[in-house]
Amino acid sequence: WLFFAIISYFINAVTAIIDKFLLNKSVPSPVAYAFYVGLLSIFAVILIPFGVVWPGLKIVVQNMIPGIIFFWAVFFFIAAVKKNEVSRVVTMIGGFVPMFVLILSFLFLHERLRGIHLLAFVILVSGGVLISLKRPPLKDNKIKLTPEGIGISLIAAFVFALYYVSAKFIFSDSQPFISAFFWSRLGSFLAAISILIIPSWRAVIFGARKAAGIKGGTLFVVNKVTAALSFILLNYSIKLG
């Protein structure tokens, strides 16, 4: 699982930088960005011939819940990146997610870290948090991580942690990985479609499509296809680890 996780986070770092570029240039709205990320989840249908099964309505709904949670995690992540320096936002979220995962997995999955493993966890996470809060000299003398940005980053970290724990729950079941992953992606797709009922968000979403243009739209799709690879590897590592 460790190999898959490391490769996943490396790819994720690259896509996060492209996310920041797109938010500044082509798709400035976090709502629109999260919507189109969720919309692309429908391409998970290509997995149907590779082991997707109908496990029953109750299991399908359970599988969709992590996907819905993930959609909102992406929304808060994009909102945080929009308002702050991407390297510090990603580092802060990466530092706090394990804290929340440790608490949630303790409560719901009954997982435990003990002794030197817990000490290593504390040192690693503390380092990540401190790096994100460090304030290097800036030419414009402005702080690149605002209080609002910190708040949104913490929300994003918690929602991501909630996704990881809920994903571990469905992947720990007896159903095939591909099948559980497919239904969770369908949950993200439905979550994206559901926000269209809000008129102001619908206007922003459709306006962003025109503003992005062909070049911006192409870069967005390529970046999200790359992110999808990272996401699959990460979910597989969650199943294994």
Side-chain angles (χ1 to χ4, degrees), residues 160-222:
F160 269 120
L162 195 60
Y163 165 74
Y164 292 142
V165 173
S166 61
K168 180 62 178 178
F169 178 80
I170 66 171
F171 292 144
S172 297
D173 203 353
S174 57
Q175 59 186 319
F177 168 77
I178 291 295
S179 185
F181 181 79
F182 167 79
W183 293 114
S184 71
R185 293 301 83 222
L186 189 59
S188 289
F189 173 77
L190 295 178
I193 294 298
S194 69
I195 69 172
L196 290 175
I197 64 175
I198 303 176
S200 59
W201 284 12
R202 186 167 63 246
V204 169
I205 289 166
F206 292 141
R209 184 180 60 182
K210 298 177 181 179
I214 296 177
K215 291 184 179 179
T218 301
L219 179 59
F220 176 85
V221 172
V222 171

Short mmCIF file of all heavy atoms in Angstrom, two decimals, residues 160-222:
data_model
loop_
_atom_site.label_atom_id
_atom_site.label_comp_id
_atom_site.label_asym_id
_atom_site.label_seq_id
_atom_site.Cartn_x
_atom_site.Cartn_y
_atom_site.Cartn_z
N PHE A 160 -11.99 15.49 3.94
CA PHE A 160 -11.14 14.47 3.30
C PHE A 160 -10.95 13.28 4.24
O PHE A 160 -11.00 12.12 3.81
CB PHE A 160 -9.79 15.06 2.92
CG PHE A 160 -9.73 15.62 1.54
CD1 PHE A 160 -9.43 16.95 1.32
CD2 PHE A 160 -9.98 14.82 0.43
CE1 PHE A 160 -9.38 17.48 0.04
CE2 PHE A 160 -9.93 15.33 -0.86
CZ PHE A 160 -9.64 16.66 -1.06
N ALA A 161 -10.71 13.56 5.52
CA ALA A 161 -10.55 12.48 6.49
C ALA A 161 -11.81 11.64 6.58
O ALA A 161 -11.76 10.40 6.66
CB ALA A 161 -10.19 13.05 7.85
N LEU A 162 -12.95 12.31 6.56
CA LEU A 162 -14.23 11.60 6.60
C LEU A 162 -14.38 10.71 5.37
O LEU A 162 -14.87 9.58 5.46
CB LEU A 162 -15.37 12.62 6.65
CG LEU A 162 -16.76 12.11 7.03
CD1 LEU A 162 -16.74 11.50 8.42
CD2 LEU A 162 -17.77 13.25 6.96
N TYR A 163 -13.90 11.23 4.22
CA TYR A 163 -13.95 10.41 3.01
C TYR A 163 -13.06 9.18 3.14
O TYR A 163 -13.49 8.06 2.82
CB TYR A 163 -13.51 11.21 1.78
CG TYR A 163 -13.21 10.30 0.62
CD1 TYR A 163 -14.24 9.68 -0.09
CD2 TYR A 163 -11.89 9.98 0.28
CE1 TYR A 163 -13.97 8.79 -1.11
CE2 TYR A 163 -11.62 9.10 -0.74
CZ TYR A 163 -12.65 8.51 -1.44
OH TYR A 163 -12.39 7.61 -2.44
N TYR A 164 -11.82 9.35 3.61
CA TYR A 164 -10.88 8.23 3.70
C TYR A 164 -11.43 7.12 4.60
O TYR A 164 -11.33 5.93 4.28
CB TYR A 164 -9.53 8.71 4.22
CG TYR A 164 -8.79 9.62 3.27
CD1 TYR A 164 -8.05 10.70 3.76
CD2 TYR A 164 -8.83 9.40 1.90
CE1 TYR A 164 -7.37 11.54 2.89
CE2 TYR A 164 -8.15 10.24 1.03
CZ TYR A 164 -7.42 11.30 1.53
OH TYR A 164 -6.76 12.13 0.67
N VAL A 165 -12.00 7.52 5.73
CA VAL A 165 -12.51 6.53 6.68
C VAL A 165 -13.74 5.82 6.10
O VAL A 165 -13.88 4.59 6.21
CB VAL A 165 -12.85 7.19 8.03
CG1 VAL A 165 -13.55 6.20 8.96
CG2 VAL A 165 -11.57 7.71 8.69
N SER A 166 -14.62 6.59 5.45
CA SER A 166 -15.81 5.97 4.85
C SER A 166 -15.42 5.08 3.67
O SER A 166 -16.03 4.03 3.44
CB SER A 166 -16.81 7.04 4.41
OG SER A 166 -16.25 7.90 3.43
N ALA A 167 -14.38 5.49 2.92
CA ALA A 167 -13.90 4.67 1.80
C ALA A 167 -13.31 3.36 2.32
O ALA A 167 -13.53 2.30 1.73
CB ALA A 167 -12.86 5.44 0.98
N LYS A 168 -12.56 3.43 3.41
CA LYS A 168 -11.99 2.22 3.99
C LYS A 168 -13.10 1.27 4.43
O LYS A 168 -12.98 0.05 4.30
CB LYS A 168 -11.11 2.58 5.19
CG LYS A 168 -10.47 1.36 5.88
CD LYS A 168 -9.54 0.61 4.94
CE LYS A 168 -8.88 -0.55 5.64
NZ LYS A 168 -8.00 -1.31 4.73
N PHE A 169 -14.20 1.86 4.90
CA PHE A 169 -15.33 1.04 5.34
C PHE A 169 -15.91 0.24 4.17
O PHE A 169 -16.15 -0.97 4.30
CB PHE A 169 -16.41 1.93 5.96
CG PHE A 169 -17.63 1.19 6.40
CD1 PHE A 169 -17.65 0.51 7.59
CD2 PHE A 169 -18.78 1.17 5.61
CE1 PHE A 169 -18.78 -0.19 8.01
CE2 PHE A 169 -19.91 0.48 6.00
CZ PHE A 169 -19.90 -0.20 7.21
N ILE A 170 -16.13 0.88 3.02
CA ILE A 170 -16.74 0.15 1.89
C ILE A 170 -15.73 -0.78 1.23
O ILE A 170 -16.10 -1.84 0.72
CB ILE A 170 -17.36 1.10 0.85
CG1 ILE A 170 -16.28 1.94 0.16
CG2 ILE A 170 -18.40 1.99 1.49
CD1 ILE A 170 -16.81 2.74 -1.03
N PHE A 171 -14.44 -0.39 1.23
CA PHE A 171 -13.43 -1.25 0.60
C PHE A 171 -13.10 -2.46 1.46
O PHE A 171 -12.54 -3.44 0.97
CB PHE A 171 -12.17 -0.46 0.29
CG PHE A 171 -12.34 0.58 -0.78
CD1 PHE A 171 -11.67 1.79 -0.71
CD2 PHE A 171 -13.17 0.35 -1.86
CE1 PHE A 171 -11.83 2.74 -1.71
CE2 PHE A 171 -13.35 1.30 -2.86
CZ PHE A 171 -12.67 2.50 -2.78
N SER A 172 -13.42 -2.37 2.74
CA SER A 172 -13.16 -3.50 3.64
C SER A 172 -14.24 -4.56 3.53
O SER A 172 -14.11 -5.64 4.07
CB SER A 172 -13.07 -3.01 5.09
OG SER A 172 -11.98 -2.13 5.25
N ASP A 173 -15.32 -4.21 2.84
CA ASP A 173 -16.41 -5.16 2.65
C ASP A 173 -15.98 -6.26 1.68
O ASP A 173 -14.91 -6.20 1.07
CB ASP A 173 -17.64 -4.42 2.10
CG ASP A 173 -18.93 -5.17 2.39
OD1 ASP A 173 -18.83 -6.29 2.90
OD2 ASP A 173 -20.01 -4.63 2.10
N SER A 174 -16.82 -7.25 1.51
CA SER A 174 -16.47 -8.40 0.67
C SER A 174 -16.63 -8.13 -0.82
O SER A 174 -16.23 -8.95 -1.64
CB SER A 174 -17.35 -9.60 1.05
OG SER A 174 -18.73 -9.27 0.91
N GLN A 175 -17.18 -6.98 -1.20
CA GLN A 175 -17.40 -6.67 -2.60
C GLN A 175 -16.09 -6.35 -3.30
O GLN A 175 -15.13 -5.92 -2.68
CB GLN A 175 -18.38 -5.51 -2.74
CG GLN A 175 -17.90 -4.23 -2.06
CD GLN A 175 -18.95 -3.14 -2.09
OE1 GLN A 175 -19.63 -2.95 -3.08
NE2 GLN A 175 -19.09 -2.43 -0.99
N PRO A 176 -16.02 -6.55 -4.64
CA PRO A 176 -14.80 -6.26 -5.39
C PRO A 176 -14.44 -4.77 -5.33
O PRO A 176 -15.32 -3.91 -5.28
CB PRO A 176 -15.17 -6.67 -6.82
CG PRO A 176 -16.33 -7.60 -6.68
CD PRO A 176 -17.07 -7.16 -5.47
N PHE A 177 -13.15 -4.47 -5.35
CA PHE A 177 -12.68 -3.08 -5.28
C PHE A 177 -13.24 -2.25 -6.42
O PHE A 177 -13.73 -1.12 -6.21
CB PHE A 177 -11.14 -3.05 -5.31
CG PHE A 177 -10.59 -1.67 -5.52
CD1 PHE A 177 -10.56 -0.76 -4.48
CD2 PHE A 177 -10.09 -1.27 -6.76
CE1 PHE A 177 -10.05 0.53 -4.66
CE2 PHE A 177 -9.58 0.00 -6.95
CZ PHE A 177 -9.56 0.89 -5.90
N ILE A 178 -13.17 -2.77 -7.65
CA ILE A 178 -13.63 -2.03 -8.83
C ILE A 178 -15.11 -1.66 -8.69
O ILE A 178 -15.53 -0.54 -9.01
CB ILE A 178 -13.42 -2.85 -10.12
CG1 ILE A 178 -11.92 -2.99 -10.42
CG2 ILE A 178 -14.13 -2.20 -11.30
CD1 ILE A 178 -11.24 -1.67 -10.75
N SER A 179 -15.90 -2.58 -8.20
CA SER A 179 -17.33 -2.34 -8.06
C SER A 179 -17.62 -1.25 -7.03
O SER A 179 -18.39 -0.32 -7.28
CB SER A 179 -18.05 -3.63 -7.65
OG SER A 179 -19.45 -3.44 -7.62
N ALA A 180 -16.99 -1.34 -5.86
CA ALA A 180 -17.19 -0.33 -4.82
C ALA A 180 -16.70 1.03 -5.29
O ALA A 180 -17.34 2.06 -5.03
CB ALA A 180 -16.45 -0.75 -3.55
N PHE A 181 -15.59 1.05 -5.98
CA PHE A 181 -15.04 2.31 -6.50
C PHE A 181 -16.00 2.93 -7.51
O PHE A 181 -16.23 4.15 -7.49
CB PHE A 181 -13.67 2.05 -7.14
CG PHE A 181 -13.02 3.30 -7.67
CD1 PHE A 181 -12.38 4.17 -6.81
CD2 PHE A 181 -13.05 3.60 -9.02
CE1 PHE A 181 -11.78 5.34 -7.30
CE2 PHE A 181 -12.45 4.75 -9.51
CZ PHE A 181 -11.83 5.62 -8.64
N PHE A 182 -16.56 2.11 -8.40
CA PHE A 182 -17.49 2.62 -9.41
C PHE A 182 -18.70 3.28 -8.76
O PHE A 182 -19.09 4.40 -9.11
CB PHE A 182 -17.97 1.48 -10.31
CG PHE A 182 -19.15 1.85 -11.17
CD1 PHE A 182 -18.99 2.60 -12.32
CD2 PHE A 182 -20.44 1.46 -10.80
CE1 PHE A 182 -20.08 2.97 -13.09
CE2 PHE A 182 -21.54 1.81 -11.57
CZ PHE A 182 -21.36 2.57 -12.72
N TRP A 183 -19.33 2.63 -7.80
CA TRP A 183 -20.52 3.19 -7.17
C TRP A 183 -20.20 4.45 -6.37
O TRP A 183 -21.03 5.37 -6.29
CB TRP A 183 -21.19 2.14 -6.28
CG TRP A 183 -21.76 0.98 -7.05
CD1 TRP A 183 -21.36 -0.31 -7.02
CD2 TRP A 183 -22.84 1.05 -8.00
NE1 TRP A 183 -22.11 -1.08 -7.88
CE2 TRP A 183 -23.03 -0.27 -8.50
CE3 TRP A 183 -23.67 2.06 -8.46
CZ2 TRP A 183 -24.01 -0.58 -9.44
CZ3 TRP A 183 -24.64 1.77 -9.41
CH2 TRP A 183 -24.81 0.46 -9.88
N SER A 184 -19.00 4.53 -5.81
CA SER A 184 -18.62 5.75 -5.09
C SER A 184 -18.45 6.92 -6.06
O SER A 184 -18.82 8.05 -5.76
CB SER A 184 -17.32 5.53 -4.30
OG SER A 184 -16.19 5.42 -5.15
N ARG A 185 -17.92 6.62 -7.26
CA ARG A 185 -17.79 7.67 -8.28
C ARG A 185 -19.15 8.15 -8.76
O ARG A 185 -19.35 9.32 -9.05
CB ARG A 185 -16.99 7.15 -9.48
CG ARG A 185 -15.55 6.83 -9.25
CD ARG A 185 -14.73 8.02 -8.76
NE ARG A 185 -14.85 8.22 -7.32
CZ ARG A 185 -14.99 9.40 -6.73
NH1 ARG A 185 -15.03 10.49 -7.43
NH2 ARG A 185 -15.07 9.49 -5.42
N LEU A 186 -20.09 7.24 -8.83
CA LEU A 186 -21.44 7.61 -9.21
C LEU A 186 -22.04 8.56 -8.17
O LEU A 186 -22.80 9.49 -8.50
CB LEU A 186 -22.32 6.37 -9.35
CG LEU A 186 -23.72 6.60 -9.94
CD1 LEU A 186 -23.62 7.20 -11.34
CD2 LEU A 186 -24.51 5.29 -9.98
N GLY A 187 -21.67 8.35 -6.91
CA GLY A 187 -22.11 9.26 -5.85
C GLY A 187 -21.58 10.67 -6.06
O GLY A 187 -22.32 11.65 -5.87
N SER A 188 -20.33 10.80 -6.47
CA SER A 188 -19.75 12.12 -6.76
C SER A 188 -20.47 12.79 -7.93
O SER A 188 -20.72 14.00 -7.93
CB SER A 188 -18.26 11.99 -7.08
OG SER A 188 -17.52 11.67 -5.92
N PHE A 189 -20.79 11.98 -8.94
CA PHE A 189 -21.50 12.51 -10.10
C PHE A 189 -22.87 13.05 -9.71
O PHE A 189 -23.26 14.16 -10.10
CB PHE A 189 -21.65 11.41 -11.16
CG PHE A 189 -22.51 11.80 -12.33
CD1 PHE A 189 -22.00 12.62 -13.33
CD2 PHE A 189 -23.82 11.34 -12.43
CE1 PHE A 189 -22.79 13.00 -14.41
CE2 PHE A 189 -24.62 11.70 -13.50
CZ PHE A 189 -24.10 12.54 -14.50
N LEU A 190 -23.60 12.30 -8.91
CA LEU A 190 -24.93 12.74 -8.48
C LEU A 190 -24.85 13.97 -7.58
O LEU A 190 -25.71 14.86 -7.64
CB LEU A 190 -25.64 11.60 -7.75
CG LEU A 190 -25.98 10.37 -8.61
CD1 LEU A 190 -26.63 9.29 -7.76
CD2 LEU A 190 -26.89 10.76 -9.77
N ALA A 191 -23.81 14.05 -6.76
CA ALA A 191 -23.62 15.23 -5.90
C ALA A 191 -23.38 16.47 -6.75
O ALA A 191 -23.90 17.55 -6.45
CB ALA A 191 -22.44 15.00 -4.95
N ALA A 192 -22.62 16.31 -7.83
CA ALA A 192 -22.35 17.43 -8.74
C ALA A 192 -23.64 17.88 -9.42
O ALA A 192 -23.93 19.09 -9.49
CB ALA A 192 -21.31 17.04 -9.77
N ILE A 193 -24.41 16.95 -9.91
CA ILE A 193 -25.66 17.28 -10.59
C ILE A 193 -26.63 17.98 -9.65
O ILE A 193 -27.36 18.90 -10.04
CB ILE A 193 -26.31 16.01 -11.18
CG1 ILE A 193 -25.43 15.41 -12.28
CG2 ILE A 193 -27.70 16.31 -11.72
CD1 ILE A 193 -25.23 16.31 -13.47
N SER A 194 -26.62 17.57 -8.38
CA SER A 194 -27.60 18.09 -7.42
C SER A 194 -27.43 19.59 -7.16
O SER A 194 -28.41 20.28 -6.86
CB SER A 194 -27.51 17.32 -6.10
OG SER A 194 -26.29 17.60 -5.43
N ILE A 195 -26.20 20.12 -7.28
CA ILE A 195 -26.01 21.55 -6.96
C ILE A 195 -26.56 22.46 -8.06
O ILE A 195 -26.63 23.67 -7.88
CB ILE A 195 -24.53 21.88 -6.70
CG1 ILE A 195 -23.69 21.76 -7.98
CG2 ILE A 195 -23.95 20.99 -5.60
CD1 ILE A 195 -22.26 22.27 -7.79
N LEU A 196 -26.94 21.87 -9.19
CA LEU A 196 -27.54 22.67 -10.26
C LEU A 196 -28.91 23.21 -9.88
O LEU A 196 -29.43 24.11 -10.56
CB LEU A 196 -27.65 21.85 -11.55
CG LEU A 196 -26.34 21.50 -12.25
CD1 LEU A 196 -26.61 20.58 -13.43
CD2 LEU A 196 -25.62 22.76 -12.71
N ILE A 197 -29.49 22.70 -8.82
CA ILE A 197 -30.81 23.19 -8.41
C ILE A 197 -30.71 24.58 -7.79
O ILE A 197 -31.73 25.27 -7.66
CB ILE A 197 -31.49 22.23 -7.41
CG1 ILE A 197 -30.68 22.14 -6.09
CG2 ILE A 197 -31.66 20.85 -8.02
CD1 ILE A 197 -31.35 21.31 -5.03
N ILE A 198 -29.50 25.02 -7.42
CA ILE A 198 -29.31 26.36 -6.87
C ILE A 198 -29.07 27.32 -8.03
O ILE A 198 -28.05 27.23 -8.72
CB ILE A 198 -28.13 26.39 -5.89
CG1 ILE A 198 -28.34 25.36 -4.77
CG2 ILE A 198 -27.94 27.79 -5.31
CD1 ILE A 198 -27.18 25.24 -3.81
N PRO A 199 -29.99 28.24 -8.30
CA PRO A 199 -29.90 29.10 -9.49
C PRO A 199 -28.58 29.88 -9.61
O PRO A 199 -28.00 29.94 -10.70
CB PRO A 199 -31.08 30.07 -9.30
CG PRO A 199 -32.05 29.31 -8.46
CD PRO A 199 -31.22 28.49 -7.53
N SER A 200 -28.11 30.46 -8.51
CA SER A 200 -26.88 31.26 -8.58
C SER A 200 -25.67 30.39 -8.92
O SER A 200 -24.79 30.80 -9.68
CB SER A 200 -26.64 31.98 -7.24
OG SER A 200 -26.54 31.05 -6.17
N TRP A 201 -25.63 29.19 -8.36
CA TRP A 201 -24.53 28.28 -8.67
C TRP A 201 -24.62 27.78 -10.11
O TRP A 201 -23.61 27.64 -10.78
CB TRP A 201 -24.54 27.09 -7.70
CG TRP A 201 -24.02 27.45 -6.34
CD1 TRP A 201 -23.79 28.71 -5.87
CD2 TRP A 201 -23.68 26.55 -5.28
NE1 TRP A 201 -23.32 28.66 -4.57
CE2 TRP A 201 -23.24 27.35 -4.20
CE3 TRP A 201 -23.71 25.17 -5.15
CZ2 TRP A 201 -22.83 26.79 -3.00
CZ3 TRP A 201 -23.29 24.60 -3.94
CH2 TRP A 201 -22.85 25.41 -2.87
N ARG A 202 -25.85 27.54 -10.58
CA ARG A 202 -26.04 27.08 -11.95
C ARG A 202 -25.53 28.12 -12.94
O ARG A 202 -24.87 27.78 -13.93
CB ARG A 202 -27.52 26.79 -12.18
CG ARG A 202 -27.81 26.16 -13.54
CD ARG A 202 -29.22 25.60 -13.60
NE ARG A 202 -30.25 26.63 -13.45
CZ ARG A 202 -31.08 26.72 -12.43
NH1 ARG A 202 -31.02 25.83 -11.45
NH2 ARG A 202 -31.99 27.68 -12.37
N ALA A 203 -25.79 29.39 -12.65
CA ALA A 203 -25.32 30.46 -13.53
C ALA A 203 -23.80 30.53 -13.55
O ALA A 203 -23.18 30.72 -14.61
CB ALA A 203 -25.91 31.80 -13.07
N VAL A 204 -23.19 30.37 -12.38
CA VAL A 204 -21.72 30.40 -12.29
C VAL A 204 -21.11 29.23 -13.04
O VAL A 204 -20.12 29.38 -13.76
CB VAL A 204 -21.28 30.36 -10.81
CG1 VAL A 204 -19.78 30.12 -10.70
CG2 VAL A 204 -21.64 31.67 -10.12
N ILE A 205 -21.70 28.06 -12.91
CA ILE A 205 -21.19 26.84 -13.55
C ILE A 205 -21.21 26.95 -15.07
O ILE A 205 -20.22 26.70 -15.76
CB ILE A 205 -21.99 25.61 -13.08
CG1 ILE A 205 -21.65 25.29 -11.62
CG2 ILE A 205 -21.69 24.39 -13.97
CD1 ILE A 205 -22.61 24.32 -10.98
N PHE A 206 -22.35 27.37 -15.62
CA PHE A 206 -22.46 27.47 -17.07
C PHE A 206 -21.63 28.64 -17.61
O PHE A 206 -21.13 28.59 -18.73
CB PHE A 206 -23.93 27.61 -17.47
CG PHE A 206 -24.73 26.37 -17.21
CD1 PHE A 206 -26.04 26.43 -16.74
CD2 PHE A 206 -24.17 25.10 -17.41
CE1 PHE A 206 -26.76 25.28 -16.50
CE2 PHE A 206 -24.89 23.95 -17.16
CZ PHE A 206 -26.18 24.03 -16.71
N GLY A 207 -21.48 29.69 -16.80
CA GLY A 207 -20.65 30.82 -17.21
C GLY A 207 -19.18 30.44 -17.25
O GLY A 207 -18.43 30.90 -18.12
N ALA A 208 -18.75 29.58 -16.32
CA ALA A 208 -17.35 29.16 -16.27
C ALA A 208 -16.97 28.35 -17.50
O ALA A 208 -15.83 28.42 -17.98
CB ALA A 208 -17.09 28.34 -15.01
N ARG A 209 -17.91 27.58 -18.03
CA ARG A 209 -17.63 26.78 -19.22
C ARG A 209 -17.28 27.65 -20.40
O ARG A 209 -16.36 27.36 -21.17
CB ARG A 209 -18.84 25.91 -19.55
CG ARG A 209 -18.63 24.96 -20.72
CD ARG A 209 -19.86 24.14 -20.99
NE ARG A 209 -21.00 25.00 -21.32
CZ ARG A 209 -22.22 24.53 -21.57
NH1 ARG A 209 -22.49 23.24 -21.48
NH2 ARG A 209 -23.21 25.35 -21.87
N LYS A 210 -17.97 28.78 -20.54
CA LYS A 210 -17.69 29.70 -21.64
C LYS A 210 -16.37 30.45 -21.41
O LYS A 210 -15.60 30.68 -22.34
CB LYS A 210 -18.84 30.69 -21.80
CG LYS A 210 -20.17 30.04 -22.16
CD LYS A 210 -21.27 31.08 -22.24
CE LYS A 210 -22.61 30.42 -22.59
NZ LYS A 210 -23.72 31.43 -22.64
N ALA A 211 -16.13 30.83 -20.14
CA ALA A 211 -14.94 31.60 -19.81
C ALA A 211 -13.66 30.79 -19.98
O ALA A 211 -12.61 31.33 -20.32
CB ALA A 211 -15.03 32.14 -18.39
N ALA A 212 -13.74 29.49 -19.74
CA ALA A 212 -12.54 28.65 -19.79
C ALA A 212 -11.98 28.55 -21.21
O ALA A 212 -10.76 28.52 -21.40
CB ALA A 212 -12.86 27.26 -19.25
N GLY A 213 -12.85 28.51 -22.21
CA GLY A 213 -12.39 28.37 -23.59
C GLY A 213 -11.88 26.97 -23.88
O GLY A 213 -11.86 26.09 -23.01
N ILE A 214 -11.42 26.78 -25.10
CA ILE A 214 -10.96 25.45 -25.52
C ILE A 214 -9.67 25.05 -24.80
O ILE A 214 -9.54 23.94 -24.30
CB ILE A 214 -10.75 25.42 -27.05
CG1 ILE A 214 -12.09 25.63 -27.77
CG2 ILE A 214 -10.13 24.08 -27.47
CD1 ILE A 214 -11.98 25.70 -29.27
N LYS A 215 -8.70 25.99 -24.75
CA LYS A 215 -7.42 25.67 -24.12
C LYS A 215 -7.59 25.37 -22.63
O LYS A 215 -7.05 24.38 -22.12
CB LYS A 215 -6.43 26.81 -24.32
CG LYS A 215 -5.96 27.00 -25.76
CD LYS A 215 -4.92 28.09 -25.85
CE LYS A 215 -4.42 28.26 -27.30
NZ LYS A 215 -3.42 29.35 -27.41
N GLY A 216 -8.34 26.23 -21.93
CA GLY A 216 -8.56 26.02 -20.50
C GLY A 216 -9.32 24.74 -20.24
O GLY A 216 -9.00 24.00 -19.31
N GLY A 217 -10.33 24.47 -21.08
CA GLY A 217 -11.11 23.25 -20.91
C GLY A 217 -10.29 22.00 -21.16
O GLY A 217 -10.42 21.00 -20.44
N THR A 218 -9.42 22.05 -22.17
CA THR A 218 -8.57 20.91 -22.48
C THR A 218 -7.59 20.62 -21.35
O THR A 218 -7.40 19.47 -20.94
CB THR A 218 -7.80 21.15 -23.79
OG1 THR A 218 -8.72 21.38 -24.85
CG2 THR A 218 -6.91 19.96 -24.12
N LEU A 219 -6.97 21.70 -20.82
CA LEU A 219 -6.03 21.53 -19.72
C LEU A 219 -6.75 20.98 -18.49
O LEU A 219 -6.21 20.12 -17.78
CB LEU A 219 -5.37 22.87 -19.38
CG LEU A 219 -4.36 22.85 -18.21
CD1 LEU A 219 -3.22 21.88 -18.50
CD2 LEU A 219 -3.82 24.26 -17.96
N PHE A 220 -7.96 21.44 -18.25
CA PHE A 220 -8.74 20.95 -17.12
C PHE A 220 -9.00 19.46 -17.24
O PHE A 220 -8.80 18.70 -16.28
CB PHE A 220 -10.08 21.71 -17.05
CG PHE A 220 -11.00 21.21 -15.98
CD1 PHE A 220 -10.88 21.68 -14.68
CD2 PHE A 220 -11.98 20.27 -16.26
CE1 PHE A 220 -11.73 21.21 -13.68
CE2 PHE A 220 -12.83 19.80 -15.28
CZ PHE A 220 -12.70 20.28 -13.99
N VAL A 221 -9.42 19.02 -18.42
CA VAL A 221 -9.73 17.60 -18.62
C VAL A 221 -8.48 16.75 -18.47
O VAL A 221 -8.50 15.70 -17.79
CB VAL A 221 -10.37 17.38 -20.01
CG1 VAL A 221 -10.51 15.89 -20.29
CG2 VAL A 221 -11.74 18.05 -20.08
N VAL A 222 -7.37 17.19 -19.08
CA VAL A 222 -6.11 16.44 -18.98
C VAL A 222 -5.67 16.34 -17.52
O VAL A 222 -5.25 15.27 -17.04
CB VAL A 222 -5.01 17.09 -19.83
CG1 VAL A 222 -3.66 16.44 -19.55
CG2 VAL A 222 -5.34 16.99 -21.31
#
